[in-house]
Amino acid sequence: MSMLGIKWKLHGTGKTIKPGQVVAPDERLAWPLTIGVGMQHVVAMFGATFLVPIITGMPPATTLFFSGIGTLLFLVITKGRVPSYLGSSFAFIAPITASQAQFGIPGALGGVVLAGATLALVGAVVQKFGAGWINRLMPPIVTGAIVALIGLNLAPAAKQNFDAAPITALVTLVTIILVSVLFRGILGRLSILVGVVVGYLVAMLRGEVKYDKMDAAAWIGLPHFQTPEFHIGVLGLFVPVVLVLVAENIGHVKSVAAMTGQNLDGVSGRALMADGAATVLAGFGGGSGTTTYAENIGVMAATKVYSTAAYWVAGMFAILLSFSPKFGELIATVPAGVLGGAATMLYGMIGILGVKIWVQSKVNFSNPVNLTTAAVALIIGIADYTWTIGDLKFTGIALGSAAALVIYHGMKAIAKARGTVAEPETEQGVLPPAVKSALNAAAKRAPKKR
């Protein structure tokens, strides 16, 4: 049982958490409380996980099924040391949408499988040799640029849905914004879900919701499974996603380690392998690619419960919900206007997460290597540059990601050989050059003491 991570100690009496304490991953509260926390995790991941299949046209119930299965698989592979829910990754939206236009849903699923397999391979290497080489290959300037351009590349898709029903989209967006600042705790963290619900109600009043498929669906039944097809043309679309998933997973492990006070570096590779395996499984059955969810970190921070027992509950509850075709079709009725409002926020958030990586890592943009890496990569990604070589078609995300890696490492190597870059890559806690110059000038103008 302990090898599977399903042997938990009771935390205290199982009914309370003393101030300053947390429920560790290998602990649990009394089962009624644990079940309650687990269901709260399902609510937290719900809005974001369902938005991906709705936007990409994938079956929502199938995606929910594989998110539950993937979560349980993740807990087993990490031996219950990393509490996490594996929900739909927004990084897959752009490549799935682009590959569907060329190869259909089976081709997109093939890309999901390839991305998952690559991520699992990276995880195996990390588990064997450590994560230091990832930090050298993808320093913060590169990671931030790739995350940012993936979000900003989706801006036209958000606008297209927004334009389909501007009033509904605006209500959805304004609700998300207001809820995030009006409410504290879990409700504030579920602003996107609340916004979607409010937008959906407005869409109903405006006659924008169609229930034909939901009415015809059965209450109980299997999710709609599909098989993948493999085309070399999807490689350029999906490989950059792996870089984002690596950053998300390692960031998640570090966040949990900081909150629980445990050293989890030894399971970083297992976390990557687990997410990769879950994504492969989803791709083979018709689901979307998965990733560790920040939404659920918010639940853990609010409840102080990091028990993996709650995630077992969440995973099993998600699987149960997926066996209602009517429920899945209900989710699929979310109209374009609601998606446009939510996507405006979501895609922008992905872009800003890249900027957040730069800020937290104190990336120095006075350094021309950093400045050029970010500038070129972002424009390629936002404008969606394309490059076709035979059957291979590389779009903005792939080209932008490649540009970030090549420009950074290429310029750094040349600058080192020539000794031409004096600025450090990160801020060193000193004043920016412009501020220092202004202060020096002011000091010169000040009257001297006699």
Side-chain angles (χ1 to χ4, degrees), residues 98-319:
S99 57
Q100 279 182 352
Q102 192 173 1
F103 304 108
I105 290 180
L109 292 175
V112 171
V113 171
L114 293 173
T118 306
L119 180 62
L121 180 61
V122 171
V125 175
V126 169
Q127 193 64 26
K128 178 69 175 178
F129 300 104
W133 66 277
I134 292 180
N135 297 327
R136 291 189 292 272
L137 176 66
M138 295 191 306
I141 179 61
V142 173
T143 305
I146 292 173
V147 173
L149 69 86
I150 284 179
L152 300 177
N153 176 267
L154 294 166
K159 182 179 183 297
Q160 182 179 359
N161 281 325
F162 200 103
D163 290 344
I167 294 177
T168 302
L170 183 61
V171 170
T172 303
L173 178 58
V174 170
T175 301
I176 293 171
I177 294 171
L178 291 178
V179 170
S180 66
V181 292
L182 285 175
F183 301 101
R184 297 178 180 177
I186 187 64
L187 187 58
R189 296 181 184 277
L190 296 177
S191 59
I192 292 175
L193 178 60
V194 176
V196 168
V197 171
V198 173
Y200 188 89
L201 293 175
V202 171
M204 287 177 61
L205 295 174
R206 294 175 56 82
E208 297 168 359
V209 184
K210 308 298 180 184
Y211 292 105
D212 299 343
K213 291 184 178 180
M214 189 197 79
D215 292 339
W219 281 102
I220 299 175
L222 289 173
H224 177 63
F225 297 115
Q226 303 175 85
T227 54
E229 293 178 0
F230 297 96
H231 303 273
I232 194 171
V234 304
L235 284 174
L237 295 169
F238 283 90
V239 169
V241 173
V242 176
L243 303 179
V244 179
L245 297 178
V246 168
E248 287 179 339
N249 275 272
I250 290 181
H252 182 93
V253 172
K254 288 183 178 179
S255 296
V256 173
M259 290 187 292
T260 60
Q262 298 180 356
N263 185 351
L264 298 176
D265 290 345
V267 291
S268 293
R270 283 182 170 273
L272 293 171
M273 287 190 289
D275 190 12
T279 296
V280 168
L281 193 61
F284 270 116
S288 183
T290 61
T291 188
T292 48
Y293 252 31
E295 286 85 347
N296 297 93
I297 284 185
V299 174
M300 290 190 290
T303 62
K304 305 301 181 186
V305 178
Y306 301 90
S307 171
T308 54
Y311 283 99
W312 275 92
V313 172
M316 290 187 285
F317 188 55
I319 294 169

